[in-house]
Amino acid sequence: MPVTQITLLPGYAPEVRERLVRRVSDAVRSVIPAPEAGTTTFVQEVVTYQRDGRVFTQGNVALPVASEQVQKFLAAMQARDLALAQSFLAGDFRMCFPGGARLTDLKELVAWGAQRYKTIGKHVEQIDESWAGDHAVVHCHGSLYGAWPDGRPFEGIRFIDRFEVKDGLLCKQDVWNDLAEHAKRSASEG
């Protein structure tokens, strides 16, 4: 059974150490077919160390949880608090929406969406977070609800969002949903 040791300088919050232990244990089990009960990961702290001629005595800051950053961004967008939503984005943030719409600006996104719906919200059913190189990949899925441009309500339209998060900021968002199919159906019924 695998045993993994993490050595840190003091100063990291308990929840950061717990997150690190969980993530390292998950990474080990993604490579070695060991049961969770047979995988041990522990943290030990050292008082000081030297690297590259410099002496270190204190740990660094931890990155925020990527999936929590995504949830805060989505909540700000749903509330149309664009200033708050913008605070979660990297300078080179880019989005791709159904139909191949490529956007980089949140005001541009709101204007683009106004052609498709009057209001929109998301019931998030699940969020999954993984890592690819130097960034986190966050998938969330669930259903959309809101009102069409003419005010008629809609609900239960499935969606998937894929985000890339680096250094705590959202860099990319890809969106897939069935909104266009439901809009066609709604137009033929209305």
Side-chain angles (χ1 to χ4, degrees):
M1 297 300 148
V3 176
T4 308
Q5 174 182 324
I6 302 166
T7 304
L8 295 175
L9 285 168
Y12 291 99
E15 60 271 10
V16 171
R17 291 192 305 267
E18 289 173 23
R19 185 166 37 127
L20 187 58
V21 164
R22 279 194 308 274
R23 295 267 174 85
V24 168
S25 296
D26 290 345
V28 167
R29 286 193 315 278
S30 75
V31 176
I32 299 171
E36 187 171 11
T39 304
T40 302
T41 304
F42 64 92
V43 172
Q44 73 175 16
E45 289 188 345
V46 296
V47 177
T48 188
Y49 77 94
Q50 178 178 331
R51 181 180 73 218
D52 197 25
R54 295 177 39 208
V55 175
F56 298 88
T57 59
Q58 189 68 27
N60 205 340
V61 297
L63 293 172
V65 178
S67 56
E68 290 176 6
Q69 295 295 91
V70 165
Q71 288 174 305
K72 291 174 186 176
F73 168 75
L74 292 174
M77 286 301 297
Q78 189 162 322
R80 288 301 185 250
D81 186 343
L82 300 186
L84 178 59
Q86 186 69 43
S87 72
F88 295 102
L89 305 181
D92 61 349
F93 178 71
R94 59 197 191 282
M95 304 167 269
C96 184
F97 282 81
R102 297 189 183 283
L103 310 167
T104 59
D105 181 81
L106 296 180
K107 289 179 185 173
E108 181 183 30
L109 169 61
V110 171
W112 176 82
Q115 302 168 28
R116 298 167 59 93
Y117 45 78
K118 185 174 184 177
T119 62
I120 195 160
K122 293 182 177 186
H123 291 299
V124 176
E125 295 172 16
Q126 185 170 336
I127 294 182
D128 299 307
E129 184 177 323
S130 61
W131 284 84
D134 64 350
H135 63 275
V137 176
V138 178
H139 285 94
C140 67
H141 68 86
S143 61
L144 301 173
Y145 64 92
W148 297 115
D150 65 7
R152 288 180 295 135
F154 63 82
E155 65 180 332
I157 300 173
R158 66 187 183 151
F159 79 90
I160 296 175
D161 288 351
R162 180 190 184 274
F163 293 90
E164 292 181 9
V165 182
K166 183 176 180 182
D167 298 330
L169 297 174
L170 285 65
C171 302
K172 184 178 179 187
Q173 178 184 13
D174 290 299
V175 176
W176 295 271
N177 63 52
D178 293 336
L179 196 65
E181 287 76 10
H182 285 266
K184 289 176 196 171
R185 192 174 315 135
S186 177
S188 68
E189 294 170 357

